[in-house]
Amino acid sequence: MILMRKIPVLAAATLLLAACGLQPLYSGGTNSVVATQLGDVTVEPIKGKAGWLMRNALNDQLSTFEGSDSKYRLIVELDDKIAGFGVRSNDRITRERRTLRARYQLVRLSDSKVVLDATAGSDAGIDVVSSEYATVAAEETALENLSTRVADQIIKRLSLFAREQASDSGS
């Protein structure tokens, strides 16, 4: 009896969702315009350990899309900071915040024009413990996780850009 009452509500919700204009970003799978354009992006080398982690995270996500050739170049500049903010009465830091910010530019290779200039970032809290090794390991783990999170943000923004380009060109 309860199930019978829920069916009309579910049907109405489905119709409302269809009418709202939401579209899957990757509709069409690996053959979609968005996937094709993401496959055409080459990531430039990025300085430092954080840069190496970020470039690997970006390439891991971009490698799932197969483009015909490089049409865009992604340039990323990172700002990686660790700041202590939890302090005991003996002036020992008990907590740190690691912040990773990325400024990135998407450059069209055909005319060297910057078609997208944006930023992404994330931060993580780190407990500072009596073992220096454990604290350093936590800082490194935080950097690895932040690199993945920021790369996700960049890929999502590149996907939105690709969809905007496709709708502007009428594809």
Side-chain angles (χ1 to χ4, degrees):
M1 190 66 156
I2 294 174
L3 182 62
M4 295 303 283
R5 289 184 202 157
K6 291 183 180 182
I7 290 176
V9 173
L10 185 59
T14 303
L15 289 174
L16 284 174
L17 185 59
C20 77
L22 288 176
Q23 303 173 17
L25 189 57
Y26 301 110
S27 63
T30 57
N31 296 324
S32 71
V33 175
V34 172
T36 302
Q37 283 196 10
L38 287 177
D40 293 340
V41 175
T42 301
V43 182
E44 291 289 307
I46 309 167
K47 290 189 241 174
K49 181 176 183 177
W52 180 80
L53 289 166
M54 175 66 66
R55 186 167 190 248
N56 284 344
L58 288 166
N59 281 330
D60 285 348
Q61 292 189 43
L62 290 171
S63 68
T64 60
F65 306 105
E66 295 180 21
S68 54
D69 56 71
S70 293
K71 294 180 183 170
Y72 296 96
R73 176 170 53 114
L74 183 65
I75 302 169
V76 181
E77 294 177 16
L78 294 177
D79 182 25
D80 177 27
K81 293 183 180 174
I82 299 177
F85 66 92
V87 181
R88 289 189 178 150
S89 60
N90 63 359
D91 289 335
R92 290 205 52 184
I93 294 173
T94 60
R95 190 104 171 118
E96 295 176 334
R97 173 174 286 134
R98 186 163 207 158
T99 306
L100 185 64
R101 301 277 179 251
R103 177 172 184 233
Y104 57 98
Q105 296 178 322
L106 188 65
V107 179
R108 187 171 43 224
L109 294 177
S110 62
D111 58 2
S112 298
K113 181 181 178 190
V114 175
V115 293
L116 177 65
D117 189 348
T119 59
S122 189
D123 60 10
I126 302 165
D127 288 328
V128 177
V129 295
S130 59
S131 167
E132 189 175 326
Y133 174 79
T135 300
V136 170
E139 290 171 351
E140 295 302 312
T141 300
L143 180 59
E144 292 169 12
N145 293 336
L146 289 172
S147 297
T148 302
R149 273 190 237 148
V150 174
D152 287 343
Q153 292 174 21
I154 292 172
I155 296 298
K156 286 175 187 168
R157 182 61 184 99
L158 292 177
S159 299
L160 291 172
F161 171 78
R163 185 173 69 184
E164 290 167 9
Q165 292 296 109
S167 65
D168 288 347
S169 67
S171 297

